[in-house]
Amino acid sequence: MPYMQPRGGWIELICGSMFSGKTEELIRRVRRAEIARQTVQVFKPALDDRYSVSKVWSHSGVHCEAEAIESASEILTRLRPGTTVVAIDEAQFLDWVVAEVADELATRGLRVIASGLDLDFRGEPFGPMPLLLAQAEMVDKLHAICVVCAAPASRTQRLINGQPANYNDPVILVGAKEVYEARCRDCHRVPGKPGKDE
Ligand code: TMP
Ligand code: MG
Ligand code: ZN
């Protein structure tokens, strides 16, 4: 449920593993804001070109128009007068300035809806997400279903040629089902992770 603040703005954060429905939930909130005759701008990092650079797509196929940005500060420069709701998908790919931008917008009285991966494939906090998590008035952590044991999944497993990716692999690798699957803590594997026997 969106946080109701009679005056002023706020930050809502939707996080969780891949395939947990984050983008679908973001789009649902955007649609509801539009029905409520709010003026919404949706942003996404240009880096995520999986389906289209000018659209936000969920794994289930739900999509909406979005403005692709190279850096978080572009949100402020592209902001139109009259916009009351700002949605940001895949926030984990943006620079840390996104937390300052979200804070500035909320302080100006806008509603900010951000979504992104809280953890990378190594099971470590992803980019600026920890800052957004701390600043948000409201946080929803969504779960997918572990493909191995069917428990609620909080982690994302990266698979390269069917094998768990090594801890030292680059953090950013844009993709979907061909490289990633949802897993629970127990079934998540990260060979080479310091302090873990694999
Ligand atoms: P999704 O959360 O909307 O499914 O998209 C997550 C995107 O992040 C997807 O393009 C894969 C990418 N990704 C990385 O770049 N590194 C990672 O460690 C993980 C788990 C995902
Ligand atoms: Mg998504
Ligand atoms: Zn499992």
Side-chain angles (χ1 to χ4, degrees):
M1 272 292 109
Y3 180 82
M4 295 310 268
Q5 164 73 266
R7 285 177 299 117
W10 66 87
I11 303 171
E12 294 162 34
L13 187 70
I14 307 161
C15 64
S17 69
M18 285 183 73
F19 314 107
S20 64
K22 300 183 298 298
T23 302
E24 217 175 330
E25 176 61 19
L26 178 117
I27 293 171
R28 190 184 77 93
R29 293 186 194 183
V30 165
R31 295 247 157 91
R32 290 170 62 88
E34 286 169 347
I35 292 167
R37 289 184 284 280
Q38 300 287 300
T39 307
V40 186
Q41 276 185 262
V42 183
F43 296 96
K44 60 171 260 185
L47 183 74
D48 179 16
D49 57 358
R50 275 180 296 176
Y51 303 95
S52 152
V53 279
S54 60
K55 280 192 170 70
V56 159
W57 281 80
S58 77
H59 293 287
S60 64
V62 179
H63 55 95
C64 75
E65 294 298 319
E67 300 176 47
I69 50 172
E70 301 285 343
S71 71
S73 58
E74 272 182 60
I75 296 173
L76 292 179
T77 54
R78 285 167 172 259
L79 194 72
R80 290 189 288 272
T83 294
T84 51
V85 179
V86 167
I88 310 164
D89 196 26
E90 306 285 356
Q92 79 277 355
F93 285 148
L94 289 169
D95 50 285
W96 288 62
V97 172
V98 69
E100 278 169 42
V101 169
D103 210 44
E104 160 79 21
L105 294 174
T107 304
R108 283 193 208 168
L110 279 80
R111 174 182 174 196
V112 179
I113 311 167
S115 89
L117 286 171
D118 43 1
L119 299 174
D120 62 25
F121 78 99
R122 304 171 304 177
E124 295 185 352
F126 207 147
M129 292 298 286
L131 276 180
L132 287 170
L133 270 151
Q135 284 176 337
E137 270 84 358
M138 209 187 66
V139 175
D140 283 293
K141 190 150 176 158
L142 306 184
H143 293 87
I145 303 294
C146 175
V147 300
V148 179
C149 76
S154 55
R155 304 283 190 278
T156 307
Q157 180 71 52
R158 182 186 288 171
L159 295 166
I160 305 294
N161 299 322
Q163 294 306 311
N166 193 276
Y167 181 82
N168 295 317
D169 279 13
V171 169
I172 294 182
L173 174 64
V174 171
K177 287 219 157 72
E178 67 294 351
V179 235
Y180 293 106
E181 60 187 30
R183 293 206 189 174
C184 70
R185 180 188 285 273
D186 261 12
C187 299
H188 187 242
R189 297 285 176 271
V190 189
K193 182 158 176 162
K196 298 262 176 198
D197 306 321
E198 287 285 347

